[in-house]
Amino acid sequence: MRRIYLDNNATTPLAPEVFEAMKPYLLEDYGNASSIHWYGQQAKAAVERAREQVARLINARPSEVVFTSGGTESDNAAIVGIVEATRSTAKHVVTASIEHHAVLNTCQALEKRGVSVTYVRVGASGVVDPDDVRRALRPETVLISVMHANNELGTLQPLEEIGRLAREYDVYFHTDAVQSVGKVSVDVEKLGVDLLTLSAHKLHGPKGVGALYIRRGTALRPLLYGGHHERDRRPGTENTAGIAGLGKAAELARADLEGEGRRVSALRDRFEAGVLRAVPLCTVNGDPARRLPTTSNIRFEYIEGEGFVIAMDLRGIACSTGAACSSGSLEPSHVLSAIGLKHEQARASIRFSLGRYSTAEDIDATLEVLPAVVEQLRSLSPRYKTAGIRV
Ligand code: PLP
């Protein structure tokens, strides 16, 4: 069976060039980057090369890039690190209700330690209003953490405006840019962020490696205790192969960011137009304009998302009901609830996410089977039948 992967927001396939860049550090150049002999120096050179490649992708200085085990660790390190480095007794954090759990659960853990947190709400657009962020600020606010692109809807947040607010009120600003780095232009200067999280496996790099951008001069209490790696900012022997892979993935993404963005958004638009034409009673969730080029979240009234994902999988097509880490949960996605969807609307919503290896053939083959899958699921729905809908 031909398989089609439309779940690139969960993770992306490793680029072959990335695999080649990693291989030497798994085989012959296996040294520890802290060792002073030849083996160590090979590893150290690979780590420093990757630091430059990542820095170039986000317009940072290499010294501002710290390698971590991925997006979750970077989010934790940024938020806890800023809060713990601040001396004042009353501390307040502003974040958004649509953040990934790596941010939300970190904030909730801080609340248990006495830190107060404001979760700014969003409307149906799935975009944070900077005025709401301004209204949430207090004299004791130490950090604003607002994601760049939402992982479920793909909606892009107004970081430049929030960055200006952070400067005006002299508050640190972190963004979880896991879903946007490598897909749209990410420039730490333009966005005005002090800390930025990224993860290799969302840009055709390996899993289990990421980075945290820390603006020069930002005081951060490290999350872990250990050796003096990463200039005392993140202890632990460097994952040389993973880091080399992240560097190569960053270089590849930067080489054709605009062209690839145009190509994928054209495919995404072709997909959406095809679905909306062929399937009645469906709606695109979130702001259709302020979005990643890769993501489409569509609500098919009167279907059960899990059933849809399974039916599509049986036909070789991989898509998702929302964040991969929340799949299997019976609760509707917090993001879809946050944009005002009712329980059954949230459960009827499907995320399709494209990537570098998505093709027009993939889209057309998906469009060939999708309407019949929706129709079949609806024919089994008592609510659909009692609604007496004829289209
Ligand atoms: N933040 C966002 C927005 C994500 O989509 C993800 C992964 O799904 C993460 C953080 C976590 O990243 P990682 O899987 O590298 O820990």
Side-chain angles (χ1 to χ4, degrees):
M1 179 171 41
R2 174 162 186 252
R3 290 208 172 266
I4 296 171
Y5 187 70
L6 296 178
D7 199 14
N8 285 273
N9 285 17
T11 194
T12 55
L14 195 74
E17 300 93 325
V18 169
F19 180 57
E20 288 306 320
M22 294 172 69
K23 244 168 46 188
Y25 306 100
L26 294 164
L27 299 169
E28 62 269 24
D29 297 338
Y30 45 76
N32 182 323
S34 301
S35 300
I36 55 174
H37 47 61
W38 184 88
Y39 291 94
Q41 293 317 298
Q42 297 302 109
K44 175 132 184 75
V47 169
E48 295 316 316
R49 194 177 321 120
R51 209 183 300 283
E52 280 169 25
Q53 289 164 315
V54 171
R56 225 170 279 137
L57 180 63
I58 60 171
N59 190 29
R61 298 181 184 90
S63 59
E64 295 172 315
V65 173
V66 173
F67 292 113
T68 66
S69 66
T72 301
E73 183 190 325
S74 295
D75 282 341
N76 275 261
I79 297 166
V80 176
I82 286 290
V83 167
E84 297 215 328
T86 311
R87 288 230 180 89
S88 55
T89 40
K91 297 174 193 175
H92 174 240
V93 174
V94 177
T95 188
S97 55
I98 55 167
E99 294 292 318
H100 189 271
H101 281 121
V103 167
L104 287 180
N105 289 346
T106 303
C107 288
Q108 279 165 23
L110 287 174
E111 281 185 283
K112 292 200 182 105
R113 293 191 219 162
V115 176
S116 47
V117 181
T118 303
Y119 301 88
V120 172
R121 296 156 78 97
V122 297
S125 64
V127 177
V128 171
D129 181 345
D131 282 337
D132 288 336
V133 174
R134 184 193 290 275
R135 278 189 282 273
L137 293 171
R138 302 181 196 163
E140 66 271 23
T141 307
V142 295
L143 175 71
I144 301 170
S145 181
V146 173
M147 70 197 324
H148 193 196
N150 181 266
N151 45 303
E152 296 194 34
L153 302 166
T155 46
L156 287 161
Q157 307 303 320
L159 294 196
E160 286 185 43
E161 287 95 317
I162 299 172
R164 279 196 288 275
L165 275 179
R167 290 281 163 277
E168 190 186 326
Y169 288 81
D170 196 20
V171 172
Y172 284 117
F173 181 25
H174 164 250
T175 189
D176 174 340
V178 163
Q179 291 290 348
S180 60
V181 167
K183 297 173 194 164
V184 293
S185 162
V186 174
D187 177 331
V188 292
E189 295 305 330
K190 235 166 113 188
L191 299 177
V193 294
D194 302 301
L195 302 125
L196 179 144
T197 290
L198 63 93
S199 175
H201 76 103
K202 308 287 186 178
L203 58 142
H204 303 283
K207 293 167 185 61
V209 59
L212 178 62
Y213 156 78
I214 308 174
R215 183 178 291 278
R216 192 158 63 169
T218 306
L220 209 66
R221 174 87 60 86
L223 212 54
L224 304 174
Y225 299 97
H228 297 290
H229 312 81
E230 297 289 286
R231 297 190 179 182
D232 284 330
R233 291 173 299 185
R234 200 277 186 177
T237 301
E238 291 84 351
N239 169 7
T240 318
I243 290 169
L246 168 54
K248 187 68 188 180
E251 181 191 292
L252 291 174
R254 185 170 171 268
D256 191 23
L257 201 58
E258 277 185 27
E260 178 57 13
R262 273 195 302 275
R263 187 192 75 85
V264 179
S265 66
L267 281 185
R268 192 268 317 273
D269 294 347
R270 173 190 183 129
F271 171 71
E272 270 180 4
V275 171
L276 296 175
R277 205 179 310 119
V279 182
L281 299 170
C282 64
T283 315
V284 173
N285 287 323
D287 189 322
R290 297 181 70 152
R291 262 193 306 174
L292 288 175
T294 50
T295 310
S296 177
N297 192 306
I298 304 183
R299 186 167 86 238
F300 301 94
E301 306 293 348
Y302 302 105
I303 70 152
E304 200 57 55
E306 302 280 330
F308 179 89
V309 170
I310 292 166
M312 292 293 275
D313 189 45
L314 290 172
R315 290 160 179 80
I317 300 165
C319 54
S320 139
T321 51
C325 40
S326 311
S327 309
S329 148
L330 288 177
E331 285 301 305
S333 130
H334 70 281
V335 174
L336 300 177
S337 301
I339 62 167
L341 296 194
K342 291 198 249 75
H343 193 288
E344 59 280 8
Q345 289 180 313
R347 291 187 56 84
S349 297
I350 306 292
R351 180 184 71 185
F352 303 91
S353 47
L354 287 67
R356 186 178 302 154
Y357 304 113
S358 301
T359 63
E361 290 73 40
D362 290 344
I363 298 307
D364 293 345
T366 305
L367 288 173
E368 258 174 45
V369 305
L370 186 148
V373 168
V374 174
E375 196 43 51
Q376 190 197 2
L377 291 174
R378 283 180 176 166
S379 73
L380 301 171
S381 157
R383 281 199 314 113
Y384 185 62
K385 283 187 201 140
T386 47
I389 291 159
R390 291 279 166 273
V391 279

